[in-house]
């Protein structure tokens, strides 16, 4: 559903340690995701499908945990965010065909969050 938090992400340079931490704390389970990066889906106990992901940063940028909002158009949401005083920190918008457009945006207080759109 557009404009709702539909995913969360924990990014770390220590994925094994973070898996143990959240697994022991909340009972979360992790499964490798297909693709070229080290990304693991996170499922809640009793949950029917993954609700988040664990991303191995390999030290390329700071560790973080954030929420992601599904939007109908990432470029438009980035432009709107900037017009409201936010800042686009990173964006990756593909072309035609299946894939995911996404961006990291900071709000007017500097809080980082993600936005994404799944192209079909």
């Amino acid at each position: 559903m557009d404009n709702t938090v539909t995913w969360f992400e924990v990014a770390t340079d220590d994925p094994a340690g973070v898996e143990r931490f959240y697994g022991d704390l909340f009972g979360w389970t992790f499964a490798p995701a297909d693709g070229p990066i080290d990304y693991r889906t996170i499922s809640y106990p009793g949950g029917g499908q993954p609700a988040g992901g664990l991303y191995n940063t390999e030290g390329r940028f700071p560790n973080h945990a954030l929420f992601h909002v599904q939007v109908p158009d990432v470029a438009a949401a980035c432009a709107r965010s900037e017009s409201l005083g936010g800042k686009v920190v990173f964006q990756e918008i593909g072309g035609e065909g299946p894939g995911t457009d996404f961006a990291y945006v900071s709000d007017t207080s500097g809080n980082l969050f993600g936005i994404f759109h799944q192209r079909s």
Side-chain angles (χ1 to χ4, degrees):
M1 180 181 308
D2 287 336
N3 300 319
T4 60
V5 175
T6 57
W7 193 257
F8 72 92
E9 179 177 85
V10 178
T12 178
D13 58 359
D14 179 21
V18 168
E19 275 191 23
R20 280 190 305 276
F21 176 81
Y22 286 110
D24 290 347
L25 182 63
F26 298 126
W28 294 355
T29 57
F30 301 82
D34 291 334
I37 62 173
D38 183 1
Y39 198 86
R40 305 153 196 202
T41 60
I42 301 171
S43 296
Y44 301 138
Q49 61 187 11
L54 182 131
Y55 174 57
N56 183 358
T57 67
E58 298 176 350
R60 291 183 304 228
F61 50 86
N63 296 338
H64 63 270
L66 54 88
F67 64 89
H68 292 265
V69 177
Q70 180 177 319
V71 297
D73 183 322
V74 170
C78 285
R80 178 83 172 128
S81 173
E82 289 181 323
S83 77
L84 295 169
K87 179 180 176 187
V88 176
V89 177
F90 175 83
Q91 70 179 343
E92 185 171 289
I93 298 175
E96 299 295 317
T100 303
D101 298 330
F102 71 95
Y104 292 130
V105 180
S106 63
D107 65 19
T108 55
S109 291
N111 297 306
L112 190 67
F113 63 97
I115 56 176
F116 76 98
H117 174 76
Q118 188 69 43
R119 296 185 319 274
S120 49

